[in-house]
Structures are given as C-alpha cells and as structure tokens.
Amino acid sequence: MRARQLLTASIILVAFVALTGYVLYLAFVNVAGQLQRDRLRAYAFNYAGSVEFFRNGDIYVPEVPPDPRFDRPGSGLYAAIVSRELRWESMSTRGPQLPEVNMLAPKQEEFRGPIAITNTDGSHGEVFRYGIGLTYVQEADGGGEVEIPYTVYVMEDEGTLARQIRLFRGALWSYLGISGVGLLLLQILILRWSLRPLDNVVAELKRVQRGQANRMSEQHPRELAPLTESINALIESERENLERQRNTMADLAHSLKTPLAVLRTRLDGDASESELREEVATQLRRMNDMVGYQLSRAASGGHKLFAAPILIEPHAEQIVRGLEKIYSRKGVICEFEIDGQARFHGEPGDLQELLGNLLENAFKWAKSRVLLTVQAGASSAGRRPGLILAVDDDGPGIPDDRIAHVLQRGVRGDERVQGHGIGLAIVQDIVRSYRGVLNVGPSPELDGARFEITLPPGL
C-alpha cells in the first residue's frame, strides 16, 4: 500500500512540477516578449522626440543615441527613420542585411518577429522589429504649417530574447528539479509517518496470530479505533464461541450423568417391568429436555458482527399469530408500539428467540393484554444505533426478590405451570452476547411484569 501511494503521489508530483514549469515558461516568454516590445517602443519614442526635419530637406538626429549599441556596426540593435523623401539609419545597421521598411500611417504601430536577416559574417539571423508612424509639423516658407509623415523603426537581434529565455529556462528547471526532489523526500517521510499507526496495527495483529498477545491494544489513532475494536470484537466473539461450545458439551455430559446413573441403578435393581418402563420413560423425557435445552442454547449463542438491519414488526406479527392460537381460550390481545426507525442488527434467529421467549412468557402469565414496545436506542458517530425492546403483561408480576431466581436456568416462575424454565435463560444469554442488558421489573402501564432489553450501539 505504501508503494502504491508513493508511486501515485510521485507521478502526481512530477506531473504537477512539469505542468507548473511549462506554465511558468510560457508566462515568462509572453512577459519577455512584451518587455522587448516595450523596450523597442521606448527607443522609438526617444528618437521621435529628438528628430528634426529642416526646410532644405535634411533630417537631424542627435549624435548621442539612447543606447551605445546603436553606434556599433552589427551590434544587434538597429534604428531607422524613413519618410517620403528621406531615410536615416543608425551606425549599427552597417554590415548586416536588414529587412526592408515601409512607411506606416500616422499613429500606426507594428511589432513583428522574428524576421530573417543576414548577419555581417553571412550567417542567418532573426530580429524583432517595432515601428510607429508619426507626423512632424514644420512651418512653411509662406506661413502656416506643413506636416511631414515619417516612421521610426527599431530592431533588436532575436538572440537577446533567446538568451534571456534560455537562462530563465535553465534556472527554472534547476530550481523546480531541486524542489521536486525535496518534495519527494518530504513526501516519503510524511507517508512513513502517516502510515506508522497502520504498521503498528499490522504488527500487533501478527503478534495476536502468533499467540504472543490476546487482543489489540487501545493505543491507536481515533481513525483506526473502529478497525481495532472490530478485530478485538471478532477475537472475543471467536473465543466466546469456542468457550460456549466447550461449556455446552460439558454441561450436556454432566446433565446426562444423573439420568443415566438412575437408569443403571434401576436396571441393576429388582424393579418390575412396569416400574422400569415408567422410569425409563421418565428419564428419557428428562434427557430429551436436557438435550433440547443445550441445543437451543448452542444455537442461540453468538451472532454476526456485521449483520444487516432487520425489521422487527414482521417477525413479531408472525410470532403473535401463533401464540394467539395456542392461548385462544384466554383471549389475550397483543398490542404493538414499534418505532418505524428501529432495527435489529443481528441474526434473524436471535430476534426470533428473543421475541418468541418474551412474548410466550407474557402470553402465559397475562390475563388479557400484552404490550410490545420497540424504540431506537442510543447512537454514536460511525456506529449502528442501539435498540430498546420491552414486553409488558397484565399478569401477577414478579416480586423483586424473585427476579434473580426466575432468570436462573431451569427455574420456572410457578412449578405448576408447564415449561422447562430455560426460555428466559436463553434470552439472557442472547442479550449478553450482544453486550446488552436485560431488566425485569413491574410494568408501569399494565401493572404486571415488564421485560426490557437494551442493546448498545454496535460496531
């Protein structure tokens, strides 16, 4: 993952540096060309401000040029002034063959380049040329004014701009290259620093796999906390499942020892055939109940950590329809108060066990009414919401000093009532596997018993 991130970031960085360099290069070329035009324009106006035309047809240009290069033949900086009858060129134009110049209209400006020329040594070169059309106002002999149109041209060797661009390009790519290498090294350090917590998670997970640690530690960044908590929950769930299987087998073996011992004693004794048959039937029923109980507990233990949310009302309706048929003589009515946003995040079998055992217990003890209430529980960012599920009945209720006794395995609220006494124990085991709480107390609405399950926000 680090290699992929580094490769991706490096490609993006190189592309960004290259694009930045290209944009800066184009911007410099554009600015350099504009600066050259402004420089040539300044030279042209300098000449235009000092040139004079005489009545005899001569033209006067100051001996001191705006730049000494205008006085050096073939220097690369050239000037020319043309009118209808006159033409003046700077000393620098001697030697190279410059392009022909023409008159421009007054106030007309022209900037062209590069234009091919032939240098003094016969080599080919190029120049940028700026020209502007002007008008010189002169007094006429008979009075009045005479306008003399003329054009000032200033040309500069293309090599001046090329040298500037070449120097800028070299400096630009050098600095960008150094900056890119520096950013790449900084990026490597940042990636190593930012991925160090993930490396620590991988190292801890390897220690857990080797048996050197029992669980992931809690010393991880907030962003990785859901991951480490999920791993710890998975580890604990697997350990609980293994422990539950071991306990189930041990409990089953221990439970069957007594009935088997009774049967062995009766077989070795002098009991009659009818007594023996009755005893065998009794002990077989007892063993069948024990096996059924242990299988139910094993089937209801454990749950998926990342189960899809389940609607509660359809399962509740299905269970209530069956219970109403079984307890039709009592005429018990079951009412629902189910929040439409509430969901059970777990296995459908667990939901069936919870609703089935609680509702059956309520129908068994209710006089005429049962109430099922479901609400969405507490929630927190990044976690699935909790759940509050309660079943009330209008039966005799459970005294406070009997609640702990009733929740024990194999204990029935009334020995005269048919049942195995494992329903509430199964509910308690399921609730505990979901890290929830089962509260038993008086019903505030129906004055009977209330069984309330509170499941916390999940992973």
Side-chain angles (χ1 to χ4, degrees), residues 76-392:
L77 187 60
Y78 317 103
I81 300 176
V82 295
S83 65
R84 294 172 182 171
E85 300 177 355
L86 298 175
R87 181 186 181 95
W88 175 89
E89 295 179 344
S90 64
M91 292 288 293
S92 58
T93 60
R94 298 179 182 180
Q97 296 181 8
L98 300 174
E100 291 294 330
V101 293
N102 300 314
M103 290 280 293
L104 297 177
K107 299 183 181 180
Q108 180 184 355
E109 295 185 60
E110 176 190 80
F111 181 73
R112 295 178 56 192
I115 303 173
I117 66 169
T118 302
N119 294 318
T120 304
D121 58 0
S123 61
H124 295 285
E126 294 178 330
V127 294
F128 286 92
R129 185 178 71 185
Y130 174 81
I132 182 171
L134 300 169
T135 301
Y136 184 82
V137 179
Q138 186 182 61
E139 293 184 0
D141 294 337
E145 295 180 346
V146 177
E147 293 183 351
I148 302 175
Y150 69 101
T151 302
V152 179
Y153 284 100
V154 179
M155 290 164 280
E156 187 174 24
D157 186 26
E158 185 268 344
T160 302
L161 180 61
R163 282 191 299 272
Q164 294 177 350
I165 294 176
R166 185 169 59 253
L167 291 174
F168 175 80
R169 183 171 58 239
L172 173 66
W173 292 117
S174 298
Y175 291 134
L176 284 179
I178 295 173
S179 301
V181 172
L183 289 175
L184 185 60
L185 295 176
L186 181 61
Q187 178 178 267
I188 294 175
L189 294 177
I190 293 175
L191 279 177
R192 290 178 61 87
W193 173 75
S194 61
L195 293 178
R196 182 176 299 173
L198 196 57
D199 293 336
N200 294 337
V201 171
V202 174
E204 286 192 10
L205 186 58
K206 289 182 179 179
R207 287 197 294 270
V208 172
Q209 291 173 342
R210 298 191 190 104
Q212 299 173 350
N214 294 327
R215 66 195 308 275
M216 305 290 291
S217 69
E218 298 179 357
Q219 299 177 353
H220 295 287
R222 182 176 62 257
E223 295 80 4
L224 294 179
L227 174 62
T228 56
E229 290 177 4
S230 298
I231 294 175
N232 284 333
L234 181 62
I235 294 173
E236 293 174 3
S237 177
E238 289 300 318
R239 288 175 180 166
E240 289 177 0
N241 288 337
L242 180 60
E243 186 68 20
R244 186 179 295 108
Q245 292 174 7
R246 291 174 178 172
N247 293 338
T248 300
M249 297 303 297
D251 293 346
L252 181 59
H254 184 271
S255 300
L256 294 178
K257 284 174 61 178
T258 301
L260 290 175
V262 171
L263 289 176
R264 172 59 61 184
T265 302
R266 299 294 288 177
L267 287 174
D268 294 340
D270 54 355
S272 63
E273 181 178 354
S274 60
E275 292 177 347
L276 184 60
R277 184 184 298 276
E278 183 180 356
E279 187 65 35
V280 169
T282 301
Q283 297 304 324
L284 284 178
R285 285 196 301 272
R286 183 178 179 186
M287 286 189 289
N288 183 65
D289 292 342
M290 292 178 180
V291 171
Y293 161 66
Q294 297 295 346
L295 291 178
S296 298
R297 190 179 69 169
S300 63
H303 64 282
K304 296 180 181 178
L305 289 175
F306 307 105
I310 301 175
L311 288 173
I312 299 173
E313 188 169 0
H315 294 273
E317 290 178 347
Q318 181 181 5
I319 293 172
V320 168
R321 280 196 297 268
L323 292 174
E324 287 178 344
K325 294 177 181 178
I326 297 174
Y327 296 94
S328 58
R329 292 183 179 181
K330 297 180 66 175
V332 178
I333 299 176
C334 184
E335 303 173 9
F336 290 169
E337 291 184 4
I338 301 178
D339 184 0
Q341 302 298 324
R343 299 290 188 274
F344 178 77
H345 295 267
E347 298 182 15
D350 290 343
L351 179 60
Q352 291 278 2
E353 287 288 345
L354 292 175
L355 292 175
N357 285 299
L358 291 181
L359 289 172
E360 183 179 7
N361 183 75
F363 268 81
K364 185 186 301 182
W365 293 101
K367 297 176 182 178
S368 60
R369 291 182 61 193
V370 172
L371 175 63
L372 172 63
T373 305
V374 180
Q375 299 175 353
S379 62
S380 58
R383 296 174 180 267
R384 66 193 187 196
L387 181 70
I388 300 176
L389 188 150
V391 176
D392 298 71

Side-chain angles (χ1 to χ4, degrees), residues 13-63:
L13 178 61
V14 171
F16 174 76
V17 170
L19 181 61
T20 301
Y22 180 69
V23 171
L24 291 176
Y25 173 75
L26 291 181
F28 178 81
V29 170
N30 184 48
V31 172
Q34 185 64 34
L35 289 176
Q36 185 176 42
R37 178 186 180 280
D38 293 341
R39 185 171 61 254
L40 297 181
R41 188 171 185 270
Y43 287 145
F45 274 96
N46 189 288
Y47 274 109
S50 59
V51 67
E52 293 183 13
F53 289 88
F54 298 117
R55 291 188 181 90
N56 58 4
D58 294 334
I59 183 173
Y60 168 77
V61 179
E63 295 181 359

